Amino acid sequence: MKAMRAIRAQALTVMRAGALAAAALLPWAATPATAQEWRGWNIHAADYPNGQGLDRFGQLVMQRTNNRIRMRTYHSAQLGQQDEAIQQMRLGSIDFGNFNLSPFNNLAPSTNVVTLPFLFRNVAHLHAAIDGATGEEIAKDLEAIGIIALAWYDGGARSVYATRPIRTPADMRGLKIRVQTSDLWIDLMRALNANPTPLPFGEVFTSLQSGVIDAAENNFPSYESTRHFEVARFYSTTEHSNVPEVLAVSRQRWQRLNEQERTILRDAARESAALQRQLWAERERVSRQRVEAAGVTVIEIADRTPWSSLMEPVYAKYAATPRLAGMVQAIRALP
């Protein structure tokens, strides 16, 4: 009997050891108590291309971690406006989000380069830059301030829309125009002799309606989805800027992940970016059709040379260092 008990005890020991070894090979064999709850920020509605991209990102991460990392995106700026959300991410109270790069201009120097006016020839040129060396440089600067860049979304070509027609740079003189909180954007509009007015995005409609500002600038989907076209009926295709957006996670969260988890997040982010870009191109087309059908006057700016020729002081100020000037040169040299 003693011999039998010894055999059984030895067998149980072997089985337990085997189970532990098997569990070690399954990185997601975690109990519900160890699951991580991640909060994500998005300024747009859930059905916007960016919202759909973020939701796909969260779904893929949850699937591939067997729900160990559970992601919930709070759309429509539920967690605050963009500047507030950036600070929350740096502090670690927001875990992931999708941000325009312009609000980072005063925090991460290389983001100034992709914000420079009239830099990108077209969307393909933008993708070649941001998916390559330019994106790597920006990611370094963002990591230094507590934000890990995973992938790049399209932000669309931004143009001026106003309560009166804008056809030439001369029409910008004295115009009170909303800009993002960025010194570069302020100087850009000053170079056009306009009066830049930094305002939160959520205040643009009422400010246009009340006359606090005369104009704003953004892409067709933002212009249409926010119904800014109802109070600013003239859209001029200046396409002065085509700033990419970043899908990022908090560095505090990132530092607590292992390499396999990081790979899952990177892959999911890139797949979500491919979806967002596809949806964005379609949304731009549909949004333009919608505002034109609503009676908006779209003024085509065929020759942007009179506009771009005024931007030399902006480049001199914001691409003055050898590093940033080199980035501009490298982007312009891309095929």
Side-chain angles (χ1 to χ4, degrees):
M1 291 296 292
K2 288 182 180 180
M4 289 296 292
R5 283 197 293 269
I7 291 171
R8 290 194 189 101
Q10 186 177 10
L12 285 170
T13 300
V14 171
M15 289 172 64
R16 290 190 187 106
L20 289 171
L25 296 174
L26 296 172
W28 310 120
T31 63
T34 63
Q36 303 175 31
E37 302 287 345
W38 285 37
R39 300 196 316 156
W41 181 90
N42 175 30
I43 198 169
H44 301 289
D47 63 351
Y48 203 67
N50 302 54
Q52 294 184 63
L54 279 171
D55 284 343
R56 174 64 64 85
F57 171 63
Q59 291 163 4
L60 291 173
V61 170
M62 288 190 288
Q63 289 171 5
R64 294 170 185 178
T65 63
N66 194 26
N67 284 326
R68 183 175 182 272
I69 298 178
R70 301 171 182 169
M71 306 188 117
R72 178 181 176 185
T73 302
Y74 291 83
H75 300 287
S76 303
Q78 293 179 64
L79 301 181
Q81 292 298 317
Q82 186 158 239
D83 290 345
E84 299 167 335
I86 289 170
Q87 292 307 314
Q88 288 184 66
M89 177 172 277
R90 296 178 70 188
L91 294 170
S93 56
I94 286 178
D95 301 303
F96 67 100
N98 159 226
F99 302 96
N100 186 280
L101 288 177
S102 294
F104 291 101
N105 289 166
N106 297 337
L107 300 170
S110 60
T111 62
N112 285 287
V113 172
V114 291
T115 315
L116 287 167
F118 306 102
L119 177 62
F120 298 110
R121 298 187 299 271
N122 49 44
V123 175
H125 185 207
L126 166 65
H127 289 169
I130 200 65
D131 291 338
T134 299
E136 292 173 3
E137 287 297 311
I138 292 172
K140 290 177 187 176
D141 283 0
L142 291 177
E143 184 171 2
I145 63 168
I147 291 173
I148 305 298
L150 297 182
W152 309 100
Y153 282 6
D154 280 348
R158 300 173 75 96
S159 293
V160 173
Y161 52 91
T163 55
R164 61 178 186 260
I166 305 294
R167 292 185 171 87
T168 70
D171 296 326
M172 296 288 291
R173 183 176 295 276
L175 197 75
K176 294 178 293 184
I177 183 166
R178 180 265 176 178
V179 294
Q180 299 176 76
T181 307
S182 160
D183 291 344
L184 187 152
W185 278 94
I186 291 171
D187 287 341
L188 187 163
M189 291 304 168
R190 283 178 177 164
L192 294 171
N193 295 308
N195 291 328
T197 306
L199 285 174
F201 187 62
E203 296 179 14
V204 174
F205 185 97
T206 55
S207 297
L208 285 164
Q209 190 177 44
S210 64
V212 170
I213 56 174
D214 306 306
E217 53 79 46
N218 219 313
N219 50 63
F220 270 116
S222 293
Y223 176 60
E224 175 261 321
S225 65
T226 56
R227 307 199 71 80
H228 290 177
F229 67 89
E230 294 179 354
V231 287
R233 305 290 288 172
F234 298 92
Y235 190 99
S236 303
T237 61
T238 54
E239 296 188 358
H240 50 273
S241 180
N242 199 339
V243 182
E245 303 200 354
V246 63
L247 170 54
V249 300
S250 165
R251 187 177 63 190
Q252 293 192 34
R253 274 291 193 186
W254 187 254
Q255 289 174 338
R256 297 197 292 268
L257 300 176
N258 61 41
E259 279 306 312
Q260 188 167 10
E261 291 168 331
R262 292 178 179 181
T263 297
I264 285 175
L265 262 71
R266 287 193 191 99
D267 290 346
R270 289 171 184 147
E271 289 178 44
S272 81
L275 172 67
Q276 189 273 345
R277 291 176 179 184
Q278 177 186 346
L279 294 173
W280 182 266
E282 176 61 16
R283 181 61 185 266
E284 280 189 319
R285 183 186 67 80
V286 170
S287 291
R288 175 165 181 162
Q289 288 180 344
R290 287 175 178 171
V291 299
E292 288 180 323
V296 165
T297 299
V298 176
I299 301 168
E300 294 287 355
I301 308 296
D303 181 10
R304 297 184 179 87
T305 305
W307 300 75
S308 61
S309 64
L310 299 174
M311 296 299 114
E312 187 175 337
V314 179
Y315 276 74
K317 181 175 180 179
Y318 292 97
T321 68
R323 179 195 179 203
L324 301 188
M327 289 177 66
V328 171
Q329 185 176 5
I331 291 170
R332 286 176 168 167
L334 288 170

